[in-house]
Amino acid sequence: MARELQTTVLASVAAGTAKLSTVSDTIKHVKRILEFISDFPEWYHHNTNLEEHKESLRRKMICLEGVKDDVETQLQNTELQSGKKRKREVDHWLKNVRKKADDVSKVETAVNSVHFLPKFSFRAWLGSCIGEEIQEVTELTQQGKFPEGLLLDAPRDGGELFVTNRLVGQIIHEKIDEIFTSINNPEVMVIGIQGHEGIGKTALMMEVYNRLCARSSHRVYYVNVPDNFTTYSLQAAIATAMKVDIPEGGENVRAARIFNVLKSIKEYIVILDGLSEFFRWEEVGIPAEGNAAGKLVFTSRSFDVCRRMVCQETVVLDRLSLEDAEMLFMETLTASAAELSEEVRKVAKDVVQRCNGVPLRIIDMGIQLRGVTDINEWRNTLYEM
């Protein structure tokens, strides 16, 4: 039909009976008429089934509201227990659902205002709006399933890796292997690392922590135990390492928060560095002994603390051998060690012996004497030790 009209118009132009401007306007009008004719069945459908589509939209909106309520309930439960944060897409989805509810409400109000009016075009237009709303509500309902979960996956470790120095000596590496053997043993839940002050417990546990973060499937939390800690302060230190907010209220409420977060994690390791006295697990919030999902590793100067904490394995750190002590001392001196005279080197051996194989003392003396070449200063330092 369009081709016939176009042929007729062009023929009129060729015969000189119509002007070009008139022809152009005529073609535009013809196209509009043809578009209306082609769209008329759809408009008629929208007009005739307006009430039916309105009811369909209402049912689908109820379904979407139900999905939204389920998502919000799940967020309230899982965010509290796991300490994880919701994904941004979840917040965007909830915002879109609320906006869609407002849009649908406006459309329903408009439909009700023309329910008994015979305005074909307006009813047909509203029917097309309802069709679009139905499609968008259906898409939002599908998106609300969130097959990848509502919350972000937390990193395996509880914080950043430590900057550590190279651990010197065969014995210390054997101790690390011993610790990992205990960690990998499913029957061992509590591991104590015992050693005197300055023996290298913290340096060793930092190395263990870094390796666990790189290789283990466990979530690892490194906690610096406060001096003269209380249950309250230990709970705060653990929560900080876990990056979890805990209430300022009573210890029982705080313990429940920590407990629920740890119980929600498949596998975890809590490292307590510098435990000076015994504490009750349940009072702090760490799940009780026998929980195969989690392990507790701690350092302490006291054998008695290891015993009272019911350690299934206790790794004792010994003093360095003289050979390892001298190696650590020379590494601490760095480049200046190569500049030492033979006379100074003899004094250096005596300095190392005075350190009694305690790594912290060896490192402190190495830093103090770094760059010193005067034999008298070396002798004075040895005399003052």
Side-chain angles (χ1 to χ4, degrees):
M1 181 176 178
R3 183 174 295 279
E4 292 173 356
L5 287 170
Q6 184 178 5
T7 302
T8 301
V9 172
L10 291 175
S12 299
V13 173
T17 58
K19 296 181 179 180
L20 286 175
S21 59
T22 304
V23 171
S24 176
D25 291 339
T26 302
I27 292 175
K28 290 179 181 178
H29 288 308
V30 169
K31 286 184 177 180
R32 291 171 185 163
I33 293 171
L34 293 176
E35 289 174 357
F36 175 79
I37 292 173
S38 64
D39 293 340
F40 183 79
E42 182 178 353
W43 286 92
Y44 180 79
H45 174 75
H46 287 320
N47 175 77
T48 305
N49 300 284
L50 180 61
E51 284 72 22
E52 180 182 341
H53 289 171
K54 172 191 169 186
E55 178 62 20
S56 176
L57 176 60
R58 186 186 69 84
R59 292 194 302 267
K60 289 184 178 294
M61 196 63 214
I62 291 174
C63 180
L64 178 59
E65 291 284 358
V67 174
K68 179 180 77 73
D69 291 343
D70 290 342
V71 168
E72 288 177 334
T73 300
Q74 187 177 351
L75 284 172
Q76 289 175 1
N77 294 334
T78 55
E79 281 184 315
L80 177 65
Q81 294 178 0
S82 68
K84 298 180 183 178
K85 293 185 177 181
R86 69 181 67 177
K87 297 177 179 178
R88 289 185 180 178
E89 62 181 292
V90 176
D91 280 330
H92 290 321
W93 181 83
L94 289 171
K95 181 179 179 181
N96 290 337
V97 171
R98 286 189 285 269
K99 182 178 182 301
K100 183 52 59 184
D102 291 339
D103 293 343
V104 170
S105 178
K106 292 176 182 177
V107 171
E108 289 178 338
T109 300
V111 171
N112 292 333
S113 68
V114 298
H115 186 68
F116 296 106
L117 295 180
K119 295 182 178 180
F120 175 86
S121 298
F122 191 36
R123 285 174 56 87
W125 174 75
L126 285 174
S128 68
C129 291
I130 288 179
E132 293 176 359
E133 296 294 344
I134 288 176
Q135 181 178 352
E136 292 178 7
V137 168
T138 301
E139 291 175 356
L140 282 171
T141 302
Q142 290 295 321
Q143 294 169 6
K145 294 180 179 179
F146 293 103
E148 301 299 324
L150 302 175
L151 306 180
L152 293 168
D153 290 330
R156 287 182 299 181
D157 58 298
E160 301 296 329
L161 298 182
F162 291 111
V163 178
T164 59
N165 295 319
R166 188 177 76 88
L167 297 178
V168 176
Q170 179 64 29
I171 294 178
I172 197 67
H173 291 287
E174 290 176 356
K175 297 297 181 181
I176 291 177
D177 291 340
E178 188 177 343
I179 292 170
F180 273 96
T181 298
S182 299
I183 289 174
N184 294 327
N185 186 345
E187 302 298 323
V188 176
M189 300 295 116
V190 188
I191 304 166
I193 315 298
Q194 190 275 330
H196 297 294
E197 180 181 5
I199 206 67
K201 299 183 296 296
T202 295
L204 178 128
M205 288 314 302
M206 286 181 175
E207 179 67 22
V208 169
Y209 171 85
N210 286 354
R211 294 190 190 184
L212 283 171
C213 290
R215 306 174 188 175
S216 175
S217 61
H218 290 77
R219 192 85 53 80
V220 190
Y221 302 111
Y222 194 104
V223 181
N224 287 304
V225 179
D227 294 334
N228 302 316
F229 72 90
T230 62
T231 298
Y232 198 91
S233 65
L234 183 56
Q235 288 172 333
I238 293 173
T240 298
M242 295 169 61
K243 299 179 182 177
V244 170
D245 293 328
I246 57 175
E248 294 295 331
E251 294 174 354
N252 291 340
V253 177
R254 294 158 64 88
R257 177 77 168 109
I258 294 172
F259 178 87
N260 287 327
V261 172
L262 290 175
K263 286 289 286 186
S264 69
I265 300 172
K266 185 177 180 181
E267 295 179 317
Y268 65 85
I269 298 174
V270 176
I271 297 175
L272 301 179
D273 186 23
L275 190 63
S276 57
E277 59 184 81
F278 165 79
F279 70 90
R280 296 185 182 278
W281 298 51
E282 64 277 8
E283 291 180 356
V284 172
I286 298 176
E289 304 94 327
N291 174 28
K295 295 178 183 289
L296 175 66
V297 184
F298 67 88
T299 68
S300 180
R301 301 176 190 173
S302 169
F303 271 117
D304 185 60
V305 170
C306 295
R307 177 184 60 81
R308 296 188 64 194
M309 291 297 294
V310 195
C311 292
Q312 290 144 319
E313 292 290 344
T314 300
V315 178
V316 179
L317 299 187
D318 300 317
R319 300 173 187 271
L320 295 179
S321 66
L322 181 58
E323 180 182 357
D324 288 338
E326 290 178 351
M327 184 185 303
L328 176 60
F329 183 73
M330 290 301 175
E331 285 190 2
T332 306
L333 288 176
T334 63
S336 63
E339 303 172 2
L340 298 180
S341 65
E342 285 300 320
E343 191 176 17
V344 169
R345 287 180 179 274
K346 291 179 181 179
V347 178
K349 285 183 177 291
D350 293 334
V351 169
V352 171
Q353 286 182 332
R354 294 281 180 91
C355 292
N356 295 320
V358 178
L360 184 59
R361 294 187 63 188
I362 295 170
I363 292 172
D364 287 344
M365 295 307 302
I367 293 174
Q368 179 180 336
L369 292 167
R370 185 180 293 167
V372 176
T373 56
D374 185 352
I375 184 63
N376 292 322
E377 190 168 347
W378 276 84
R379 286 171 176 165
N380 289 337
T381 301
L382 177 63
Y383 176 78
E384 294 172 356
M385 290 182 68

